[in-house]
Amino acid sequence: MRRALAAAGAAGVAAVVVTVVLSTGEDPPPVHAAEAATATAAVERRDLVDRELVQGTLGYADSSTLAASGAGTVTRLPEPGTLVRRGRALYDADDAPAAWLLYGDLPAWRDFNGWMSDGEDVRQLERNLRALGYDPDHDMTIDDDWSAATTAALVRFQDDHGLTEDGTLARGEVVFRPGPTRVGDVEATVGQSVAPGARIAALTATSREITVNLEAFRQELARVGDDVTVDLPNGRSARGRISDVAKVADAPASEEQDATIAVTIVLRGRAARGTGLDQAPVDVGFARERRTDVLAVPVTALLARSGGGFAVEVVSNGRRRLVPVQPGTYAEDFVEVSGDGLREGMTVVTAQ
């Protein structure tokens, strides 16, 4: 007689349904027909990773705020989700472009002019003017020093964009971002009067990332470079890799909560595209235990014996026999098994 039991796996693993084999003290006879619907599977040699699920937030990487470069009335705003590339304006004020996007890691922190001191921001500006075609004869030397050729290239840029051709840029007229930029939430409205520094919109990169606020006492789960699994809100699964683990814990919001560390995960592959959401909760699977090159069977092949222990039912030459096994790590609907006489490629009975 067979009946279902719950067999607990490793700590934190959900209970699985197994079958109890009643023992009479003698070797059980061969089984010719199962009472319940069954199928078969092969004993595999594979890697198993036991994962712990933690909730995270899916969003876009490299977020920042677009602030008004000067006083004026907003006359054009991009739609949320708009992709802006180098040399394009991010919004208009007083019916004129107010902030031009250029590529670079260093933010624009001062005015640009022919008498400014040397700096990496000069190099960034020159690199962009060259890339946009405003130094056609390559008269500029791309370096930290402002030269007459830099002024000439900037004047060409200003002429092409309807700006005052004075070879200078006021702070805020250009916005440096690492690459093509996506417009997120737009906070300003057309017709709104804004002062310098007023919030216009959120800016992000085009790539997605996940942030997990992991309890500090579980920080051993997260190591830079480790792979994780991600269950997305669209029902798909994706792979990710831990790109950063904060070195300082954030204080808890209340006495009932624990201190947390921020873990950043970069998504891999195409499964994360098309969620249609700027932000969404996701479940992230961190590796808790790894087993490599072990024998494994589907969890539904595991049988609980009435006298204690577990077995699998092996099919060979049309006959079935029980092989005692020792379960190990449970992961991804498989369980690690070891036992005398168990070999890779054997056929075992599984519950459907």
Side-chain angles (χ1 to χ4, degrees), residues 59 149 268 282 297 335:
R268 306 171 65 187
V282 293
V297 297
V335 56

Side-chain angles (χ1 to χ4, degrees), residues 221-299:
L221 290 176
R223 295 178 298 180
V224 172
D226 278 1
D227 292 330
V228 298
T229 59
V230 182
D231 295 330
L232 298 166
N234 59 9
R236 297 180 180 180
S237 294
R239 293 282 177 178
R241 177 165 292 176
I242 299 174
S243 61
D244 184 68
V245 179
K247 295 188 171 48
V248 178
D250 294 324
S254 67
E255 293 183 358
E256 291 75 25
Q257 296 176 313
D258 294 301
T260 59
I261 56 172
V263 179
T264 303
I265 296 160
V266 177
L267 287 174
R268 306 171 65 187
R270 299 180 179 180
R273 299 178 185 174
T275 62
L277 300 169
D278 273 14
Q279 286 194 337
V282 293
D283 288 326
V284 179
F286 290 90
R288 177 168 50 192
E289 181 181 2
R290 298 177 184 270
R291 297 284 292 160
T292 60
D293 197 33
V294 296
L295 293 179
V297 297
V299 171

Side-chain angles (χ1 to χ4, degrees), residues 295-308:
L295 293 179
V297 297
V299 171
T300 52
L302 199 62
L303 305 175
R305 305 172 68 192
S306 63

